[in-house]
Amino acid sequence: MSQFNSYFHDPSNGLQGGITAAIQAGAFAGSLLTGLFLADALGRRRTIIGGSALFTIGIAISCASNNVKCLIAGRVINGLANGCCAMMVPLWQSEVTPKEIRGRIISLQQCVINFGILTAFLIQYGCSFIPSNAAWRTPIGIQMVPTSALFCVMWWLPESPRWLVSKGRDEDALQVLARVHADGDESDDYVLEEFAEIKQKFALEESTEKPSYFSILFSKKYSRRTFIGLGAQFWQQAVGINSILYYAPFLFEQAGVGSSSASLLSNVIEGVVLNVVTWPNMYYLDTWGRRRPMILGAIAMGICMLLIGVLLKTQGDPRYDPVQHKIDFDFSARPAAGKAVIAFLYLYVASFALSWATPAWVVPAEIFPMRTRGRANSMTTATNWFVNFWFALYIPTALNRISWILYIIFAGISFAAALSTWLFQVETANRSLEEMDAMFEGDHPIFPFLDPTLTAVRPPVRLKHEAGLADVLVETEKNAVQPVHEEIA
């Protein structure tokens, strides 16, 4: 907005990218540091509490900044906290919730994030009419409301029962499971079965040394699931969604919307689309699964980006905007083409919301064993922020230098994401966290589409490997299963 540009003396494309990317740089470091030092040492709940407190401090610094250096410093602190919370919240959710609704609960986080994005767009649009520096300080300062709320609410929520078991606090873990699954009834069969499964799994993992980051990346035991988790987070950002959201007002102006105020209003509409379409994804994620929506959604996003690039190239009249330092396209001679570009931007966002918005966070939180879950999730989240950082840094320059070609690049990346997901990603819906190991062991092929048990949303056969015991769970009606125990020779 003009008030911000005026106060900071019309920052260049590079500086705009640096201000935006400061959060992503901090988040990259924050997610790695959280996995290395905090997630397993402090526990999931206390780490989230600390992250929300740090986030509030960073917002205060950014809101009060009187120069670019102070603004960037506050945003880096925001990023450290964001990396911490973005990694820990899905991890905590995955370890607390039942497998039947785990995907839905973790996805709910993304729905709330999208609601926050829409709220931010509305606040930004409303504040753009304030004729003073309050136009940009107010949206920053209001962020302290949700971070303070998270800080307060987490004191009343339970710790992860799996983390409690790892610290020898079995009684506390049983109480949490009973509280979550059976209204406090510690003798409930479901509670006792899950508690026993967690204990057995942890006992098996305890017999092995805790893996290093290098081992998680390259050892035969962990590498396949690590690269699936890294891939989910990499592709989610590489398809360009946050680049579109960060710089949407510029993109709408580029598509010929007109004034800055009109582009901000178009941005609000984009936020509405993102919110409305994400809810079905969240609600049906455990019904649709993770894999199929991600494949189809990536194809749809690729088509939208390809058509936008073609329309800008063939129908728009490029002109340089010396104020924004970017190339816009004039569609006054072909207004229908300009409207088509905007429509495909909305369809792109809708395709993302219906597919990649939630599963990319759910899958990494599900596939790793307890002993590696903290560090492995820090790596996958750091990948998300690393890609996010470079895109946020480069997009302002790209809008000027390559303009329509940027959309063609995003199209190619989206198609590559669909192919990679089809080739390598297993289906994790409706499986307990303790069952995941079996999907990456034994004779299962590396390409999951060759084995129906690895791609079924409701698997007919569940196979677990535990110390000295194999539990073969045979198919019964509606996935209700009974264990048949066989001693391993």
Side-chain angles (χ1 to χ4, degrees):
M1 58 180 68
S2 59
Q3 299 91 327
F4 179 89
N5 289 336
S6 176
Y7 187 84
F8 290 107
H9 309 294
D10 294 319
S12 65
N13 285 330
L15 185 55
Q16 287 180 38
I19 293 171
T20 302
I23 282 186
Q24 286 74 35
F28 173 76
S31 57
L32 287 177
L33 292 173
T34 298
L36 187 60
F37 297 111
L38 301 179
D40 295 328
L42 293 182
R44 308 341 187 185
R45 188 174 67 98
R46 283 186 290 182
T47 302
I48 295 172
I49 290 172
S52 59
L54 183 63
F55 212 138
T56 306
I57 294 171
I59 293 168
I61 294 173
S62 297
C63 184
S65 59
N66 56 7
N67 57 60
V68 171
K69 293 180 181 178
C70 185
L71 177 64
I72 291 177
R75 288 176 66 82
V76 169
I77 294 172
N78 286 351
L80 289 168
N82 200 3
C84 168
C85 292
M87 167 209 159
M88 289 305 304
V89 170
L91 179 59
W92 175 79
Q93 291 171 323
S94 73
E95 294 184 344
V96 170
T97 55
K99 67 176 182 291
E100 293 83 2
I101 60 170
R102 185 177 62 240
R104 192 178 304 172
I105 294 298
I106 300 176
S107 299
L108 181 61
Q109 176 205 4
Q110 187 63 43
C111 291
V112 175
I113 290 174
N114 289 346
F115 180 74
I117 292 172
L118 173 59
T119 303
F121 287 165
L122 288 167
I123 293 171
Q124 182 184 27
Y125 177 69
C127 290
S128 67
F129 297 100
I130 301 175
S132 68
N133 291 326
W136 61 269
R137 294 190 192 274
T138 301
I140 295 176
I142 289 176
Q143 295 176 82
M144 285 189 277
V145 174
T147 58
S148 299
L150 178 62
F151 176 84
C152 295
V153 168
M154 284 305 300
W155 288 101
W156 303 98
L157 296 178
E159 180 56 270
S160 160
R162 289 165 172 84
W163 181 82
L164 291 170
V165 167
S166 73
K167 299 300 178 182
R169 296 167 57 181
D170 291 2
E171 184 176 341
D172 292 337
L174 185 59
Q175 289 176 358
V176 170
L177 289 171
R179 175 183 170 186
V180 172
H181 301 311
D183 295 325
D185 182 5
E186 296 182 17
S187 62
D188 181 84
D189 290 341
Y190 187 101
V191 171
L192 294 175
E193 180 182 351
E194 182 162 353
F195 179 71
E197 190 173 16
I198 294 171
K199 286 282 293 178
Q200 291 171 353
K201 181 67 176 141
F202 181 74
L204 176 63
E205 293 182 4
E206 190 76 341
S207 63
T208 62
E209 183 180 356
K210 188 171 184 176
S212 64
Y213 278 114
F214 185 86
S215 177
I216 293 172
L217 270 173
F218 299 111
S219 70
K220 183 178 180 181
K221 184 175 182 180
Y222 301 114
S223 60
R224 184 177 163 210
R225 69 185 82 188
T226 298
F227 283 100
I228 288 175
L230 293 175
Q233 291 282 23
F234 172 83
W235 292 120
Q236 192 209 38
Q237 288 306 309
V239 296
I241 185 61
N242 272 338
S243 302
I244 299 298
L245 295 177
Y246 291 153
Y247 299 106
F250 294 139
L251 299 177
F252 284 117
E253 288 182 20
Q254 188 181 62
V257 168
S259 68
S260 177
S261 177
S263 66
L264 286 174
L265 183 57
S266 299
N267 204 22
V268 171
I269 298 172
E270 180 184 57
V272 172
V273 172
L274 182 67
N275 269 266
V276 171
V277 182
T278 301
W279 282 98
N281 185 0
M282 178 276 296
Y283 188 80
Y284 290 106
L285 189 62
D286 292 308
T287 302
W288 295 343
R290 288 58 156 147
R291 175 182 154 89
R292 188 180 304 164
M294 293 171 77
I295 295 171
L296 297 178
I299 293 172
M301 286 188 288
I303 293 172
C304 291
M305 288 287 99
L306 182 62
L307 292 174
I308 290 172
V310 170
L311 286 170
L312 290 176
K313 172 62 176 175
T314 61
Q315 302 297 312
D317 181 19
R319 54 184 175 81
Y320 181 72
D321 183 347
V323 177
Q324 300 288 356
H325 311 293
K326 295 172 182 66
I327 294 176
D328 293 339
F329 288 84
D330 183 7
F331 286 96
S332 57
R334 304 177 185 87
K339 293 177 182 178
V341 169
I342 296 170
F344 282 121
L345 274 173
Y346 289 148
L347 286 173
Y348 165 84
V349 172
S351 300
F352 174 85
L354 200 57
S355 56
W356 283 78
T358 55
W361 289 99
V362 175
V363 170
E366 294 177 317
I367 60 177
F368 296 103
M370 174 68 195
R371 200 156 178 79
T372 64
R373 201 167 291 146
R375 290 186 176 183
N377 272 272
S378 75
M379 292 170 62
T380 60
T381 306
T383 301
N384 182 294
W385 291 117
F386 182 77
V387 179
N388 206 339
F389 166 78
W390 284 108
F391 277 35
L393 187 65
Y394 180 66
I395 289 301
T397 302
L399 290 174
N400 179 34
R401 293 188 177 179
I402 62 175
S403 60
W404 64 272
I405 300 175
L406 179 65
Y407 298 96
I408 305 299
I409 293 173
F410 282 146
I413 292 173
S414 297
F415 293 136
L419 178 61
S420 175
T421 304
W422 179 72
L423 286 175
F424 300 113
Q425 185 165 306
V426 298
E427 179 57 69
T428 58
N430 299 297
R431 294 153 171 94
S432 73
L433 296 182
E434 284 65 43
E435 285 177 62
M436 296 296 173
D437 280 355
M439 301 179 71
F440 297 95
E441 296 175 355
D443 298 327
H444 293 299
I446 192 172
F447 299 114
F449 63 86
L450 298 175
D451 186 344
T453 65
L454 299 182
T455 58
V457 176
R458 296 191 178 277
V461 177
R462 296 167 58 202
L463 179 63
K464 301 181 193 177
H465 295 283
E466 295 174 353
L469 181 69
D471 295 338
V472 180
L473 301 168
V474 296
E475 177 182 10
T476 59
E477 186 177 1
K478 295 183 181 179
N479 250 21
V481 291
Q482 301 294 331
V484 179
H485 301 291
E486 297 178 355
E487 291 294 329
I488 296 177

